Amino acid sequence: MATTVRRTVLTLPAGPLGPENPLPALRPLDETHVVDERDRAALPRDMARQIGFQPLSTVLPARILDGYGRERTPTALDAIVIENDRLRATVLPGLGGRVHSLHHKPTGRELLYRNPVLQPADFALNGAWFSGGIEWNIGATGHTALSCAPLHAARVPAPDGGEMVRLWEWERLRDLPFQVDLWLPEDSDFLHVGVRIRNPHEHTAPVYWWSNIAVPEGERTRVLAPADEAWHFGYERTLTRVPVPVSGSVDRTYPLRGEFPADYFYEVPDGARRWIASLDEDGHGLVQTSTDLLRGRKLFLWGSGAGGRRWQEWLTEPGTVGYAEIQAGLARTQLEHVPLEPGAEFSWLESYGPLSADPLTVHGEDWAAARAETEQRLAEVLPRADVEAAHDAWRPFADTEPGESLATGSGWGALEVRRGKYELPGTPFADSTLGEQQQPWLELLDQGTFPEPRRAVPPGPSMVSPHWRDMLETAPAEPLTEYHLGVAQWHAGDRAQAVRSWERGLVLAPSRWPLLRCLAVAAEEGRQRDRAADLYGEAFDDLCAERRDEDEAWTAAAAALGREALEALLTAGRPAAARSVWAALPPAIRQRGRFRLLEARLLIAEDDRAAARAVFDEGFEVEDLREGAQILDEVWAGITDEPLPDRYNFRMRPER
């Protein structure tokens, strides 16, 4: 059959994503992949330089997604199927362009770990993320803020005369447009993926990219890559060079042989072909290869320990096969960001497909022979020169204007193109995509004023780049303008000026709680615990006077501000004030897992450990438990010396 592209609907049991958190993400980035500055001196100079190159301090202007749940219901998801007589790829454009499935027809094998559910969890830079398939991570160290966001998608002519699918969006953390072109040449066993990131600005931009491939794990599944060394990152926040495959008397190329979750960034020699494969006990599995620009390769494993197994259940459901991740990126490690010069672009081609190799050699003790066998089999089914040729053939098509629209992303790209008057062939950001969230910023752009709301509502998203900050500074100093200006100044590192802007806005603000909350965060960051507690208490009281509990946006605001206020008051040692906030929360919010945990903390502060223990005994699930978080251990230790129950054990590193 000729290659076809069609729309379909995929139905999965899915947890609800819920609304955005309306509070601007002012706090430092909560990312576990961090290396202390003093430890960088021992790293290669180029690696240390790129680790220190413009790391994010916050996820502004993105909003946090923390309102999701774990009660899954059958949910219809728009999907795009790309198919020839060998492969069928299923893509979810509304969820970051995730490749949900890659099915090899001749063997009937699913090449990816295809998650049977869609369960949001707190792994993305801005919160909600889900496991499985192939994801396109752009922005900064971590899972992209677009993990659960819609991308633009359309049909585009493919280099071989058929059709391909283009995905594109404006990545807001780094203010960069990108595209992902997927096509299946007729009779091919490999899905080709052309990727391009452009820098339309007049300044150098830090770029991050890692293609993340979930593959089934098994007792005899082995991950192979062309390397004899790797950089190991555990959740102790250290980066150390280790031998491959055996480290600490354990063969780490088998994902289930490690105890705790860990990253292994392979040291692929210069000039070597870029590839990584996951092969089962019979030597069958998936291989990913690329042109040389995509230099990095990585294995992430959950390990066999109780914490890793608990996370696997959390992200899917008990009784399903677990997974590991094999990845490919622009740098050697995921802690690095690569400079992209003004007006320049990065482009490369990746290929994904089935691979079979001799199992005795693949699983033998001779690592060099196992690697050579795998690379030889790859060379037979997809020579390195063919990948280079496919990239060369695709590159002229990257500028081709899309045809039939298959999905619509956000309006932020259209706003930026309108402001910057950018010419971006191949990735149009049409004015028709501008929506409600962009309208006030469009008015600021066109008329020089930021509109005040007609009624009390939680503020919309802020814009923080220098261009928008300049426009806010010259706009009339209305309270909402001062609020957004302060957010932009805070993002730029001008904390004192941000506080002044928020204080100016507070004088005439009809709705005070958004500004009070910003000032509370500033006080917290300045280690003024008592002042932060005072401001949070005042902000929450003001919100309660305005809120309408039947409105989703107000419920999200009450939950977000209530949580922060409770944490600040407990930190300041004010359990009575925290109890007042707790009592004022809507009952439905108090029943959420995060708030049950806060209730246990409140009861400990009130010296009622028996009641706190009863909360744990009754059982709860913290829906937005953060990757690497130790909060469950810490609260439990405040109640009892007994071992942490298995249901609360999400440890990603050894106990200290």
Side-chain angles (χ1 to χ4, degrees), residues 45-379:
R45 187 173 300 175
D46 63 328
M47 182 185 292
R49 183 173 61 250
Q50 291 187 160
I51 288 175
F53 180 49
Q54 296 188 31
L56 285 184
S57 57
T58 73
V59 297
L60 288 169
R63 283 186 150 186
I64 302 296
L65 294 173
D66 59 4
Y68 46 84
R70 293 188 58 80
E71 293 184 5
R72 297 192 284 261
T73 58
T75 303
L77 305 171
D78 290 335
I80 302 169
V81 175
I82 311 166
E83 187 171 15
N84 65 7
D85 59 354
R86 310 288 295 177
L87 278 179
R88 180 170 62 248
T90 304
V91 181
L92 303 178
L95 292 164
R98 184 79 57 101
V99 179
H100 173 72
S101 168
L102 190 60
H103 178 79
H104 187 234
K105 294 181 179 182
T107 60
R109 294 204 312 266
E110 173 59 48
L111 302 180
L112 306 173
Y113 168 73
R114 182 177 58 194
N115 198 333
V117 303
L118 197 164
Q119 179 54 61
D122 193 5
F123 279 68
L125 287 162
N126 63 333
W129 170 87
F130 63 102
S131 64
I134 307 172
E135 59 179 298
W136 317 111
N137 287 314
I138 182 172
T141 300
H143 294 281
T144 177
L146 295 168
S147 292
C148 292
L151 304 189
H152 302 284
R155 297 177 190 265
V156 182
D160 62 355
E163 287 186 317
M164 62 183 176
V165 171
R166 174 163 300 157
L167 306 168
W168 74 98
E169 199 26 295
W170 193 280
E171 202 289 312
R172 301 182 68 212
L173 301 187
R174 298 305 195 181
D175 233 6
L176 299 175
F178 73 99
Q179 70 189 79
V180 178
D181 289 356
L182 306 101
W183 83 98
L184 281 172
E186 191 171 350
D187 300 324
S188 174
D189 277 318
F190 283 84
L191 173 69
H192 288 329
V193 181
V195 183
R196 178 167 64 166
I197 303 170
R198 286 184 277 193
N199 179 9
H201 306 297
E202 296 178 354
H203 60 266
T204 300
V207 172
Y208 174 93
W209 182 280
W210 282 80
S211 301
N212 185 354
I213 309 128
V215 291
E217 66 180 6
E219 292 290 343
R220 292 278 293 166
T221 295
R222 192 176 205 185
V223 172
L224 302 103
D228 292 314
E229 291 184 306
W231 293 93
H232 168 260
F233 183 88
Y235 285 77
E236 300 89 352
R237 299 193 173 189
T238 57
L239 192 64
T240 54
R241 194 192 294 257
V242 298
V244 175
V246 177
S247 172
S249 75
V250 176
D251 189 332
R252 308 290 178 173
T253 61
Y254 290 90
L256 282 173
R257 294 187 184 177
E259 183 178 2
F260 289 95
D263 297 326
Y264 291 92
F265 300 103
Y266 294 111
E267 187 69 53
V268 179
D270 290 342
R273 184 175 185 181
R274 273 58 165 147
W275 61 269
I276 189 167
S278 174
L279 303 180
D280 66 16
E281 61 183 353
D282 297 319
H284 303 309
L286 174 130
V287 65
Q288 186 270 2
T289 187
S290 71
T291 49
D292 287 355
L293 183 66
L294 204 66
R295 64 174 297 186
R297 292 298 184 275
K298 170 194 164 181
L299 163 65
F300 168 76
L301 54 90
W302 283 108
S304 60
R309 294 299 95 194
R310 184 71 180 97
W311 271 117
Q312 292 263 25
E313 292 179 354
W314 185 257
L315 296 171
T316 176
E317 57 187 10
T320 56
V321 64
Y323 74 96
E325 294 171 357
I326 58 175
Q327 304 189 23
L330 282 173
R332 280 185 288 184
T333 74
Q334 288 177 328
L335 287 72
E336 303 170 66
H337 300 92
V338 182
L340 180 59
E341 298 302 315
E345 66 179 48
F346 289 142
S347 77
W348 65 90
L349 184 121
E350 307 178 43
S351 297
Y352 297 82
L355 191 71
S356 294
D358 174 42
L360 294 178
T361 307
V362 164
H363 295 288
E365 294 184 4
D366 187 336
W367 172 244
R371 281 175 35 201
E373 163 68 12
T374 308
E375 186 157 351
Q376 176 59 34
R377 296 293 167 256
L378 172 60

Side-chain angles (χ1 to χ4, degrees), residues 285-615:
L286 174 130
V287 65
Q288 186 270 2
T289 187
S290 71
T291 49
D292 287 355
L293 183 66
L294 204 66
R295 64 174 297 186
R297 292 298 184 275
K298 170 194 164 181
L299 163 65
F300 168 76
L301 54 90
W302 283 108
S304 60
R309 294 299 95 194
R310 184 71 180 97
W311 271 117
Q312 292 263 25
E313 292 179 354
W314 185 257
L315 296 171
T316 176
E317 57 187 10
T320 56
V321 64
Y323 74 96
E325 294 171 357
I326 58 175
Q327 304 189 23
L330 282 173
R332 280 185 288 184
T333 74
Q334 288 177 328
L335 287 72
E336 303 170 66
H337 300 92
V338 182
L340 180 59
E341 298 302 315
E345 66 179 48
F346 289 142
S347 77
W348 65 90
L349 184 121
E350 307 178 43
S351 297
Y352 297 82
L355 191 71
S356 294
D358 174 42
L360 294 178
T361 307
V362 164
H363 295 288
E365 294 184 4
D366 187 336
W367 172 244
R371 281 175 35 201
E373 163 68 12
T374 308
E375 186 157 351
Q376 176 59 34
R377 296 293 167 256
L378 172 60
E380 291 170 1
V381 294
L382 185 65
R384 186 177 187 177
D386 287 4
V387 177
E388 297 288 346
H391 177 254
D392 292 342
W394 163 72
R395 189 58 192 82
F397 287 81
D399 285 347
T400 302
E401 290 304 304
E404 178 195 357
S405 174
L406 300 172
T408 303
S410 78
W412 297 113
L415 183 66
E416 290 298 337
V417 166
R418 187 155 171 172
R419 183 201 59 76
K421 298 180 173 57
Y422 300 123
E423 296 290 336
L424 298 169
T427 55
F429 293 94
D431 282 352
S432 59
T433 63
L434 292 165
E436 182 180 354
Q437 290 189 333
Q438 292 82 42
Q439 285 307 315
W441 298 98
L442 199 58
E443 186 169 330
L444 176 65
L445 179 64
D446 293 342
Q447 301 180 28
T449 60
F450 197 91
E452 290 290 310
R454 295 188 179 90
R455 60 188 178 90
V457 293
S462 297
M463 299 291 282
V464 297
S465 67
H467 307 282
W468 293 106
R469 188 172 71 246
D470 290 346
M471 281 185 270
L472 288 167
E473 286 176 345
T474 57
E478 300 294 338
L480 189 56
T481 305
E482 295 287 5
Y483 163 82
H484 286 296
L485 174 58
V487 173
Q489 291 165 333
W490 182 269
H491 176 264
D494 194 348
R495 303 295 173 84
Q497 190 58 54
V499 168
R500 284 192 286 271
S501 294
W502 291 327
E503 288 176 340
R504 282 197 307 268
L506 199 58
V507 175
L508 296 176
S511 185
R512 293 168 50 84
W513 65 266
L515 293 150
L516 288 166
R517 182 266 177 177
C518 290
L519 291 168
V521 174
E524 274 189 327
E525 293 298 304
R527 301 187 179 181
Q528 300 171 289
R529 291 183 176 180
D530 287 331
R531 174 166 168 74
D534 290 340
L535 288 163
Y536 266 121
E538 188 179 352
F540 188 73
D541 288 344
D542 189 69
L543 182 145
C544 287
E546 291 187 3
R547 80 183 194 212
R548 297 183 295 278
D549 288 345
E550 71 281 358
D551 186 289
E552 183 182 67
W554 281 105
T555 301
L561 186 56
R563 171 182 170 178
E564 291 187 6
L566 281 165
E567 291 175 341
L569 291 164
L570 289 172
T571 300
R574 301 187 191 179
R579 176 61 68 182
S580 296
V581 170
W582 174 264
L585 288 168
I589 291 176
R590 293 202 298 263
Q591 291 304 310
R592 296 180 186 176
R594 173 64 64 178
F595 288 86
R596 297 300 309 284
L597 181 61
L598 279 168
E599 181 184 16
R601 291 176 58 189
L602 175 55
L603 289 165
I604 293 171
E606 294 171 334
D607 202 25
D608 192 347
R609 283 171 173 73
R613 172 64 182 263
V615 172

